[in-house]
Amino acid sequence: KQWDTRKGNCVRSFHGHTGEVIALDLAENRRQIVSGGYDQMIRLWDLQTGICTRSIETDYKNIFIVRFTSDGDLILNGSDGGYNSGDLKVFGMDPFREKHVLEGHDGEVYSIDITPDGRKMLSGGHDSNAILWDLVQGQQITPLIDNDDYSTRSYVWTVAISPDGRLALVGDEFGKLEV
């Protein structure tokens, strides 16, 4: 649903998914949204009309992350029905095609954030790692947190990149925030 935050009322509802919707993002141009969930589908919507402009069936049974990049690509993460995979996929949108598979996490990916210039991405997940990625080349730059010590491991639940792209923040399951 789309809400007017000033008035607190529902402006429009978007209908099309057959399962729960658990991932959303708004394009930078504020004209398009992308949604994903428990129905194997990615749906692109016109924000002004509420019409689904594109439906894309994925290899994932469940979609956990959908995010537009600044140049209009789409980043996805999902699962085959159990836990989500440790990979992140980058898709070009016109035509819709896989550009890169970012492999590096060993288990579920919980959070991503993208630098303002759209060239890098930070991801964090179940494996206690936070990884910085080059989205242009489609490869890992470096793990910011690389925790293989099982006695001190904690899930990386959330990551964020500062508006100037110079700082990365990581929050874990034990309440620790790292900058």
Side-chain angles (χ1 to χ4, degrees):
K1 293 183 177 191
Q2 181 182 350
W3 296 84
D4 181 324
T5 58
R6 293 170 299 193
K7 297 178 182 175
N9 63 319
C10 181
V11 176
R12 98 181 16 89
S13 293
F14 299 81
H15 300 281
H17 282 283
T18 59
E20 296 173 45
V21 175
I22 59 170
L24 291 169
D25 196 26
L26 177 64
E28 281 190 14
N29 65 15
R30 303 208 182 281
R31 293 187 196 136
Q32 190 175 40
I33 61 174
V34 61
S35 60
Y38 288 171
D39 63 358
Q40 205 167 348
M41 300 299 290
I42 300 295
R43 297 192 188 278
L44 298 167
W45 307 86
D46 182 299
L47 191 58
Q48 299 303 312
T49 65
I51 294 172
C52 179
T53 59
R54 195 168 190 183
S55 296
I56 302 160
E57 187 171 355
T58 70
D59 293 336
Y60 295 128
K61 184 175 180 182
N62 303 316
I63 309 296
F64 294 112
I65 294 172
V66 291
R67 183 74 59 88
F68 285 111
T69 64
S70 60
D71 63 358
D73 287 345
L74 193 60
I75 297 172
L76 304 178
N77 172 264
S79 81
D80 59 4
Y83 292 107
N84 72 347
S85 69
D87 64 358
L88 292 150
K89 294 183 179 182
V90 181
F91 288 87
M93 293 303 293
D94 196 22
F96 185 76
R97 63 178 174 74
E98 187 176 289
K99 292 173 75 173
H100 306 294
V101 177
L102 308 175
E103 297 175 328
H105 282 284
D106 181 23
E108 298 175 277
V109 177
Y110 296 137
S111 181
I112 66 169
D113 201 8
I114 301 170
T115 57
D117 66 7
R119 300 179 61 81
K120 296 177 186 167
M121 179 183 70
L122 180 62
S123 62
H126 184 83
D127 60 0
S128 304
N129 296 329
I131 300 173
L132 189 63
W133 303 93
D134 180 324
L135 291 178
V136 176
Q137 299 298 317
Q139 61 192 22
Q140 187 178 133
I141 296 172
T142 187
L144 298 183
I145 297 175
D146 189 5
N147 191 352
D148 290 329
D149 181 356
Y150 282 91
S151 66
T152 62
R153 288 183 94 158
S154 64
Y155 305 153
V156 174
W157 285 115
T158 188
V159 298
I161 295 174
S162 64
D164 65 4
R166 296 178 55 182
L167 295 175
L169 298 101
V170 177
D172 73 15
E173 72 175 310
F174 296 131
K176 184 172 60 175
L177 181 66
E178 296 187 43
V179 180

